[in-house]
Amino acid sequence: MEKLLHYVWRHRLMPSMLATTDGRSVEQIDPGLPNNGAGPDFFNAKVRIGGTLWVGNVEIHDRSADWERHGHGRDRAYDNVVLHVAGDTDCDVFDSQGRRIPQIRLEVLPHVLENYETLLHEDKYPPCHRVVATLPRLTAHSWMAALQTERLERKTADIRRRAELCGGSWEDACFITLARNYGFGINGDAFEQWACRVPLAAVAHHRDDLFQVEAVFMGQAGLLTPESIPERYRDGALADDYYKRLCGEYAYLSHKFGLSPMDWKQWRFLRLRPQNFPHIRISQLANLYHGRRMGLRALAECDSVDSLRDMMRTHVTPYWETHYTFASESMKNEKRLSPFSLDLLMINTAIPVIFAYGRHISDERLCERAVDMLDGLKPENNRIIRMWRECGLDVRSAGDSQALIQLKNEYCDRKDCLRCRFGYEFLKSKER
């Protein structure tokens, strides 16, 4: 309830007539600045009490007794409180000098309280679905623009963390981010662990030899150990010339660079389409790395969605055109990335890296380019986006779909409706 009282005070969703417990009229001129740290809840509020204008701080509690329970009456930091707001004014409150502080009982309007209960307990998802379709497009898309930036900033924090773990190397952070998203969710964690074990500075000496690159990539993934091969294919793999050559090359390079592979058991194959098997994705990454197309400098110089898509196109090496795992032959297929997969990699890797690097070097042009690229891509088509479209929301670009994923993950799933602009519109609505 206290959280709701904060919200009602901040957004002025309260009765028009307010009065202190001793009968003086109260008018809120300015709710003040919310304080998320220690001290009063709102700084520099302006309120007119009994005809006198007061400028100072406002403290809000569920009950007046919480003032003393929290020790505010002995804390000089609260001596500048000009108004105490409570849902239940069960006692008077005093500052550390013994001065009585004016207080009001803040009643939550019935429709606001009912709407809040609906947001918390509605079975249908999202709980604000009744108002979403009625919102002006400017209202909806201004909130989505903020959410899009919020999501890019969150991804920036992840990329920056990877760069720090790599000793400040943004090139390594770019590779790790790309690898993680080659897991397409299911093997994302495994791919990130694998990429952290690939010493790019060492592999760079052999970058012109695709076979050696693939040997290091497969070896570091633990996929050259006999135990990683399904038992029904193991004997065939051990006799497979390409597998034996990869093992021999990896043995040489791992000794040269002091490498150790990850545990192959971290890879997930259950219910995984063969196109997404780690062997296939790693071979595609080896080809991309060998071609020197996907790197930080190339990304920073990329100026359009089409050039970005061309840069990220890749396919497997010849052996994997007829295999999904060692010794398991299949019909010949270059196994190129599908347009759907390419778009996902641009949305989740390339564009966030461009944005994050722009933040890192304080180049707003890169950040703006990243946002423009998102707006130039078609929206994702997944369960979350379909849900919002069913509510009547217009989703036109990948920027919109990324915003709505951010909305669900960071607001809806956490029931944090009081920080959501859709939630605000729902709370104040009288007809639903």
Side-chain angles (χ1 to χ4, degrees), residues 122-191:
E122 172 72 74
D123 289 334
K124 187 172 180 181
Y125 197 90
C128 59
H129 60 88
R130 297 190 187 100
V131 301
V132 170
T134 68
L135 299 178
R137 189 175 187 280
L138 181 61
T139 299
H141 281 267
S142 64
W143 178 221
M144 288 163 66
L147 288 165
Q148 176 185 337
T149 302
E150 197 175 287
R151 186 160 176 82
L152 282 169
E153 294 288 4
R154 185 192 66 74
K155 291 183 177 182
T156 293
D158 291 339
I159 296 166
R160 185 181 291 117
R161 174 184 55 80
R162 292 180 188 123
E164 290 171 356
L165 291 173
C166 296
S169 172
W170 276 75
E171 196 69 55
D172 285 5
C174 175
F175 179 76
I176 294 169
T177 303
L178 175 66
R180 178 177 181 83
N181 290 307
Y182 256 72
F184 292 94
I186 294 176
N187 275 313
D189 289 343
F191 262 104

Side-chain angles (χ1 to χ4, degrees), residues 58-186:
V58 171
E59 178 69 8
I60 299 178
H61 288 114
D62 187 14
R63 305 169 64 89
S64 296
D66 292 336
W67 175 273
E68 281 302 322
R69 189 175 295 116
H70 297 166
H72 300 333
R74 301 179 300 278
D75 189 342
R76 296 185 64 181
Y78 288 81
D79 285 354
N80 286 332
V81 170
V82 297
L83 183 66
H84 183 239
V85 179
D88 183 1
T89 49
D90 52 355
C91 66
D92 292 333
V93 297
F94 301 86
D95 64 17
S96 68
Q97 306 302 313
R99 292 178 295 226
R100 183 180 175 185
I101 298 175
Q103 64 174 334
I104 62 171
R105 178 180 177 271
L106 183 59
E107 178 186 357
V108 179
L109 294 171
H111 74 276
V112 174
L113 185 58
E114 183 182 349
N115 289 345
Y116 185 56
E117 291 294 328
T118 299
L119 288 175
L120 293 180
H121 304 297
E122 172 72 74
D123 289 334
K124 187 172 180 181
Y125 197 90
C128 59
H129 60 88
R130 297 190 187 100
V131 301
V132 170
T134 68
L135 299 178
R137 189 175 187 280
L138 181 61
T139 299
H141 281 267
S142 64
W143 178 221
M144 288 163 66
L147 288 165
Q148 176 185 337
T149 302
E150 197 175 287
R151 186 160 176 82
L152 282 169
E153 294 288 4
R154 185 192 66 74
K155 291 183 177 182
T156 293
D158 291 339
I159 296 166
R160 185 181 291 117
R161 174 184 55 80
R162 292 180 188 123
E164 290 171 356
L165 291 173
C166 296
S169 172
W170 276 75
E171 196 69 55
D172 285 5
C174 175
F175 179 76
I176 294 169
T177 303
L178 175 66
R180 178 177 181 83
N181 290 307
Y182 256 72
F184 292 94
I186 294 176

Side-chain angles (χ1 to χ4, degrees), residues 326-354:
F326 290 109
S328 172
E329 292 197 36
S330 63
M331 291 182 61
K332 186 172 182 178
N333 183 344
E334 288 186 337
K335 300 181 177 69
R336 295 180 179 274
L337 286 171
S338 68
F340 173 78
S341 296
L342 270 172
D343 281 359
L344 282 182
L345 288 170
M346 285 193 289
I347 292 168
N348 293 313
T349 302
I351 292 173
V353 168
I354 293 171

Side-chain angles (χ1 to χ4, degrees), residues 30 79 114 194 201 244 269 307 317-318 331 346 353 362 378:
D30 186 331
D79 285 354
E114 183 182 349
W194 165 78
K244 289 190 290 185
F269 290 86
S307 60
T317 54
M331 291 182 61
M346 285 193 289
V353 168
S362 301
K378 291 181 180 178

